[in-house]
Amino acid sequence: MVVAEPRRIAARAAARRMAWLLGERPGGSVGHTVRGERVVGRHTRVEVVTTGVLLQRLQRDQELAGVDAVVLDECHERHLDADTAAAFLWDVRETLRPELRLVAASATTDAEGWAGLLGGRRSSRPGASPIRWRSCGLRRSGPSGPRTGCGWIRRC
């Protein structure tokens, strides 16, 4: 999974937070890539990148081999890199990878417009869309858990 953030500081912070919640260091299950810095490992499942890095990756590898989903975070922040990446991703899904999942995330965006573009459902509040869960086991993170309230996290 690739998560695209509009700024380098946001990409680094999001990757650090996700890794911390899993009780890991960045570069384990969660890593990040920004201009001039790449912190990923063999077991990285979620890579947080800037929209510029995503755009460069799309130019090199249009099929995004090995990527099942792309999350465009803060999609309300309209700028050339983000809009171009969104257009490329839409084109990739329409022509090369119909199974590629695209998610636009923002607290203040035009949800109807993005849902129409991406061909999905709109969710106006967290938890509004049904979520499919699959059994993948539980793993305790650290001696007191990852501070998510219950101390247990799902690991797939």
Side-chain angles (χ1 to χ4, degrees), residues 29-111:
S29 296
V30 180
H32 70 272
T33 301
V34 299
R35 184 177 29 152
E37 181 182 3
R38 183 169 167 87
V39 181
V40 296
R42 292 182 327 155
H43 303 291
T44 299
R45 309 284 281 167
V46 177
E47 184 179 6
V48 185
V49 302
T50 59
T51 51
V53 167
L54 175 60
L55 188 55
Q56 288 176 349
R57 192 169 292 171
L58 282 163
Q59 289 172 329
R60 283 192 318 271
D61 175 19
Q62 290 81 21
E63 291 187 16
L64 287 179
V67 176
D68 293 325
V70 178
V71 178
L72 299 170
D73 197 15
E74 303 297 341
C75 64
H76 68 277
E77 292 190 19
R78 306 291 306 276
H79 52 88
L80 186 58
D81 282 351
D83 288 353
T84 305
F88 279 4
L89 287 166
W90 181 84
D91 192 43
V92 166
R93 191 181 65 188
E94 292 297 310
T95 59
L96 301 172
R97 300 261 323 268
E99 77 284 359
L100 181 65
R101 294 178 185 204
L102 303 177
V103 177
S106 173
T108 60
T109 194
D110 170 23

